[in-house]
Amino acid sequence: MKGAHKETLPVTIDENLRGRDFLSLHDFSRQEIEGLLKLAQELKGLQKAGKPHPLLEGKTLGMIFTKSSTRTRVSFEVGMYQLGGHALFLSGQDIQIGRGEPISDTARVLSRYVDGIMIRTFAHQDVVELAKYADIPVINGLTDLLHPCQVLADLLTIVEYKGRTEGLKITYIGDGNNMAHEIMFGGAITGMDVVICTPEGYEPSEEIYRLASEDAKQNGGSITLIKDPLEASRNADILYTDVWASMGQEEEAQKRIKAFQGYQINEELLKVAQKDAIVLHCLPAHRGEEITHEVIEGPQSAVFDQAENRLHAQKAIMAATM
């Protein structure tokens, strides 16, 4: 109705985030990340209460996928719908990027059609280039180097279970991949003690370890690299793992299964962690490899709350930046 009063939604959005790209948690201050977590909690509360929150009414998110997905596609698409906007699925095979169009051209064209871009792809440099040439916010839905949307959801889950991040010990066991990298950034910036436990030859990037260590010093956290899973898990508040062979590494699967023997979250590791430790996994999980069926289905598993929180964390990212 014309002239009708429009309800003010009880959400807190940091105006400094408007128009920003979301490529890595390393690009944000602790205050900004904590602001996103607060916004995610507020949006989750509205959704659970069945209260509409059309913060992005009339806006469109272009979603570029060159890597297949379950959680990323569904959570972003549903999230945009709940925020009152529209999400447009753009397969790498369906748009001209897949036929050799320069990323810079795609960025400039999409900037004239949509209000934000989410991209899930292989090379991190492609996302950096997309953000460089786009006039609208670009969100990193995942690259081989980093996975900031997942770790923001992880931090939200940790806050829900533990009430804080400051001073907690999070132990990641497995491949020094994009998850290990972003956990180092997210944990360091929010004052956590991060332990990364990998087999020989599968360590995280030295550059990201250096940058995350600097973040940790500034925020009262720490980054430690350890080889022994039992020692790494001792007194941990959070145990975290990921698949041993990520998308695109299928041909290495057998070699990796051999290399990662013993790097599994199981009852033995849970026994040396804190009694109230929670278990996280970004999914999909290969039960019996990086995690046992008993642990992922056990009382200390927060895996499916963590998966749900992708929706709420990403809604916060979109609402704040778009």
Side-chain angles (χ1 to χ4, degrees), residues 9 27 29 34 36 44 55 88 98 125 129 141-142 151 164 173 182 193 204 228-229 236 244 261 272 280-282 321:
L9 292 169
D27 299 332
S29 69
E34 289 176 347
L36 283 171
K44 184 173 183 177
L55 296 167
L88 187 65
Q125 186 55 39
E129 186 173 358
L142 172 143
V151 175
R164 70 188 201 283
I173 296 172
E182 202 70 65
D193 294 316
D228 179 6
W244 291 341
Q261 287 304 308
V272 301
L280 300 179
H281 191 309
C282 55
T321 61

Side-chain angles (χ1 to χ4, degrees), residues 80-115:
M80 272 302 284
Y81 172 78
Q82 291 181 359
L83 289 168
H86 176 70
L88 187 65
F89 176 76
L90 304 169
S91 162
Q93 296 176 328
D94 297 333
I95 61 176
Q96 296 300 326
I97 259 184
R99 299 178 60 197
E101 179 175 69
I103 291 170
S104 57
D105 289 1
T106 297
R108 287 179 286 195
V109 169
L110 289 180
S111 293
R112 298 179 181 223
Y113 293 148
V114 300
D115 302 284

Side-chain angles (χ1 to χ4, degrees), residues 241-276:
T241 192
D242 187 14
V243 293
W244 291 341
S246 298
M247 202 176 299
Q249 298 173 330
E250 288 80 6
E251 72 245 11
E252 301 177 31
Q254 291 307 310
K255 174 187 173 186
R256 284 172 169 266
I257 286 173
K258 185 176 179 181
F260 283 85
Q261 287 304 308
Y263 287 80
Q264 177 192 72
I265 294 185
N266 50 35
E267 292 291 347
E268 183 184 9
L269 296 192
L270 269 180
K271 284 177 182 175
V272 301
Q274 296 284 2
K275 288 183 179 180
D276 63 347

Side-chain angles (χ1 to χ4, degrees), residues 114-223:
V114 300
D115 302 284
I117 302 170
M118 187 283 299
I119 179 169
R120 179 181 169 95
T121 190
F122 293 88
H124 188 72
Q125 186 55 39
D126 289 351
V127 180
V128 172
E129 186 173 358
L130 189 70
K132 177 181 177 181
Y133 288 97
D135 296 327
I136 54 178
V138 171
I139 299 169
N140 175 8
L142 172 143
T143 66
D144 286 347
L145 187 70
L146 297 170
H147 200 352
C149 292
Q150 176 65 59
V151 175
L152 191 69
D154 300 340
L155 293 172
L156 177 60
T157 309
I158 291 165
V159 169
E160 288 178 341
Y161 273 83
K162 300 294 184 181
R164 70 188 201 283
T165 57
E166 183 81 36
L168 294 177
K169 177 181 177 180
I170 180 169
T171 295
Y172 170 89
I173 296 172
D175 188 19
N177 59 12
N178 51 5
M179 282 309 314
H181 293 158
E182 202 70 65
I183 287 168
M184 286 196 288
F185 281 149
I189 294 166
T190 57
M192 299 176 76
D193 294 316
V194 182
V195 175
I196 303 294
C197 181
T198 64
E200 194 72 38
Y202 294 92
E203 296 85 357
S205 155
E206 290 184 7
E207 176 64 8
I208 288 179
Y209 170 72
R210 183 186 67 79
L211 292 172
S213 296
E214 291 175 0
D215 289 339
K217 286 179 185 177
Q218 294 173 11
N219 293 284
S222 65
I223 308 287

